[in-house]
Amino acid sequence: MIIVLKREKTDVLEDVRRRLMRGGFQFSVLEGVKYIVVPVVGDLSAGDINRFRSINGVEKVLRVSSPYYLVTKECRTKSVVDVGGDVRIGEGFHFIAGPCSVESEESLERIAAFLVSKGVRLLRGGTYKMRSSPYSFQGLGEEGLRIMQQVARRHGMRSVSEIIDLRNLDVFLEHIDVIQVGARNMYNYALLREVGRSGKPVLLKRAPSARIEDFLLAAEYLLLEGNERVVLCERGSLTFDDAIRSAINMATIPMLKDVSHLPVVLDPSHGVGIARYIPAVSEAAVLLGADGVMLEVHFDPSNALSDGFQSIDFAQFSRLHERIGTILSSLGSSCA
Ligand code: PEP
Ligand code: MN
């Protein structure tokens, strides 16, 4: 931390000095022409930093180290997230695929049977939907969770579904293998804490307005509750441009992989929002070192109950899957 004071504030400097000595921090005092700069080293919490910030007469306080720790490579070099059933995210490349929403047992069965024939082990499906309009399809709720469980079990897949309300946690724990915390709930810290405490694997999506720091702090909440099975999912951010649903900063992938030990996947479906661009963006994610992609897949996108415009059909998925297989083998890697 670096504390900056105006040169004439010598009484404030004395106060700062006393507080730093009391806290056992190491510091020095550099007197410039206009400012006094006090670099401080030691184990400083966010609370300590804010206390110095609030001293009347302190010009500014700059934080030097990152505000999170458990998610970083300093804490651990690499995490492989075991989601059961011999599926480990962080080892090989994973496809997490399925419909935007679970629509019926028959339709999920058809999608899962196709995906499993391609070797996909993780089945996604929304059951409680966060729709912008209250008049849009809201999902099948608990019935959808039961369908996810049955279909996933039948095909030896692991299920992934988004929780939107803490009150549903028990039914998620009963039926679902990986709990998704969606973009709109990334800031729901009460939900993060409880999902963290549950110990279930979590797929955490970045909120469209979140900085990387906010995203990693949300993951820190999960780890702080003792849950180490966390997967980070980039899904794009909101910008001024509405030609493409969200702006995906693809550099986020290598950056998160560099800073954090957690696996990183990309969701180009919600990020791009236009089915025909999704294969190219998925391929780029492989080259950038992602641990997987989450894709919305439907046998008849034009009749899907939600997000049909961004769902790829079986033929598109087959081509994408094959091309990614080729890219992975050229990189000396493979699909998990
Ligand atoms: C989803 O994956 O079903 C979803 C709603 O995505 P996001 O939270 O990223 O908008
Ligand atoms: Mn969707």
Side-chain angles (χ1 to χ4, degrees):
M1 162 176 84
I2 297 168
I3 304 172
V4 181
L5 314 170
K6 284 250 174 69
R7 176 95 211 181
E8 62 273 15
K9 303 274 185 184
T10 40
D11 51 331
V12 181
L13 175 62
E14 275 323 300
D15 184 19
V16 167
R17 219 194 261 275
R18 262 196 308 276
R19 289 176 191 238
L20 288 170
M21 281 177 1
R22 218 181 306 134
F25 298 113
Q26 254 185 290
F27 64 97
S28 53
V29 177
L30 311 171
E31 300 207 19
V33 183
K34 276 174 82 181
Y35 295 104
I36 302 171
V37 179
V38 185
V40 184
V41 287
D43 194 9
L44 289 139
S45 68
D48 290 326
I49 293 172
N50 283 335
R51 263 190 296 282
F52 283 103
R53 258 188 200 135
S54 62
I55 298 173
N56 194 6
V58 166
E59 185 74 4
K60 58 183 156 190
V61 178
L62 307 167
R63 198 182 56 208
V64 176
S65 58
S66 61
Y68 36 75
Y69 175 67
L70 300 175
V71 296
T72 66
K73 284 241 171 74
E74 284 141 45
C75 178
R76 182 188 292 184
T77 48
K78 180 175 164 67
S79 284
V80 171
V81 173
D82 189 336
V83 302
D86 212 21
V87 178
R88 283 180 291 278
I89 306 178
E91 261 175 27
F93 189 84
H94 285 270
F95 288 88
I96 305 165
C100 175
S101 306
V102 176
E103 300 174 352
S104 67
E105 179 160 358
E106 297 68 41
S107 72
L108 190 67
E109 169 59 34
R110 193 166 157 190
I111 295 167
F114 164 73
L115 292 171
V116 89
S117 77
K118 298 285 165 192
V120 176
R121 309 286 315 278
L122 288 148
L123 179 67
R124 66 146 285 145
T127 47
Y128 293 84
K129 298 300 296 178
M130 292 286 278
R131 305 306 297 279
S132 309
S133 164
Y135 304 111
S136 302
F137 176 57
Q138 302 287 305
L140 297 182
E142 201 172 331
E143 175 60 8
L145 291 176
R146 271 194 286 273
I147 294 174
M148 277 295 281
Q149 184 176 38
Q150 277 159 14
V151 173
R153 268 203 194 142
R154 203 176 296 142
H155 292 283
M157 300 174 92
R158 306 308 281 174
S159 56
V160 184
S161 198
E162 179 183 350
I163 190 166
I164 63 171
D165 188 329
L166 203 45
R167 288 171 296 185
N168 301 329
L169 183 57
D170 286 344
V171 277
F172 272 77
L173 294 179
E174 190 183 338
H175 298 294
I176 294 299
D177 301 309
V178 181
I179 298 182
Q180 179 173 324
V181 175
R184 293 167 185 80
N185 267 309
M186 190 211 84
Y187 287 112
N188 185 341
Y189 301 122
L191 181 68
L192 290 175
R193 279 194 192 280
E194 286 303 321
V195 171
R197 247 170 245 160
S198 78
K200 267 265 180 194
V202 188
L203 182 114
L204 175 67
K205 289 192 149 192
R206 177 180 178 177
S209 60
R211 298 169 307 154
I212 294 210
E213 182 173 310
D214 305 322
F215 186 28
L216 288 172
L217 282 169
E220 186 89 0
Y221 266 91
L222 295 164
L223 272 79
L224 193 57
E225 294 301 331
N227 194 340
E228 300 188 330
R229 293 191 290 170
V230 176
V231 177
L232 300 172
C233 181
E234 170 61 279
R235 50 82 75 218
S237 309
L238 279 181
T239 67
F240 55 88
D241 191 1
D242 60 1
I244 286 176
R245 190 170 178 178
S246 315
I248 308 179
N249 183 346
M250 296 295 281
T252 308
I253 299 170
M255 187 187 188
L256 288 173
K257 295 285 299 175
D258 183 40
V259 173
S260 176
H261 55 85
L262 299 171
V264 177
V265 303
L266 177 73
D267 171 358
S269 301
H270 292 88
V272 176
I274 303 170
R276 65 181 180 282
Y277 305 137
I278 287 165
V281 176
S282 305
E283 288 169 27
V286 181
L287 291 167
L288 289 165
D291 296 288
V293 279
M294 178 184 252
L295 297 167
E296 288 186 333
V297 180
H298 199 282
F299 48 87
D300 182 9
S302 62
N303 279 307
L305 293 183
S306 56
D307 284 354
F309 44 88
Q310 67 189 30
S311 300
I312 53 173
D313 63 20
F314 289 0
Q316 284 170 311
F317 183 86
S318 298
R319 281 196 296 276
L320 182 163
H321 188 263
E322 202 181 314
R323 281 182 61 95
I324 286 187
T326 310
I327 296 171
L328 286 169
S329 52
S330 76
L331 296 174
S333 181
S334 62
C335 289

